[in-house]
Amino acid sequence: MKDFKADVSGYTDLVEDIAKLALALPPDLRAILADRLLESLVPKTLTQEEIDAAWIEEAERRSRDIDEGRVTPIPGEEVMARLRPKFNDE
């Protein structure tokens, strides 16, 4: 993993100043700023249309798998019944 501190050496004061200014913003503007910052960390490689097309393709594949008997769907109530004990213990 890359050493994050090495990347910001010399910028600590600037980062602190920016953080103080950002934290002084109203919550809705902080949310917009946070979204923009997070967006900048993940390179966009697909358009929304490409993402939608991929989900449609996946849904169609899963539907074919069910129709052709390759998979057996599990009712949602059964899935939840299996999951509840795992998460109620925590």
Side-chain angles (χ1 to χ4, degrees):
M1 183 173 193
K2 205 172 188 181
D3 183 11
F4 184 72
K5 290 186 185 248
D7 291 343
V8 297
S9 62
Y11 294 98
T12 306
D13 291 339
L14 177 60
V15 170
E16 281 302 313
D17 290 344
I18 292 170
K20 284 178 188 173
L21 290 170
L23 291 169
L25 294 170
D28 57 335
L29 293 179
R30 288 197 318 266
I32 292 168
L33 177 59
D35 187 52
R36 295 275 306 272
L37 290 171
L38 288 172
E39 225 175 59
S40 75
L41 296 174
V42 180
K44 272 194 172 171
T45 55
L46 298 175
T47 65
Q48 187 61 50
E49 291 79 21
E50 292 168 323
I51 294 168
D52 293 344
W55 274 114
I56 290 168
E57 184 179 320
E58 179 65 14
E60 289 171 346
R61 182 192 64 77
R62 291 180 186 196
S63 181
R64 273 192 314 275
D65 285 348
I66 292 168
D67 292 344
E68 295 171 7
R70 286 191 289 272
V71 264
T72 304
I74 302 170
E77 298 83 17
E78 186 179 333
V79 171
M80 294 307 294
R82 290 182 188 180
L83 289 174
R84 272 188 203 98
K86 293 180 181 183
F87 292 98
N88 285 339
D89 292 340
E90 293 178 11

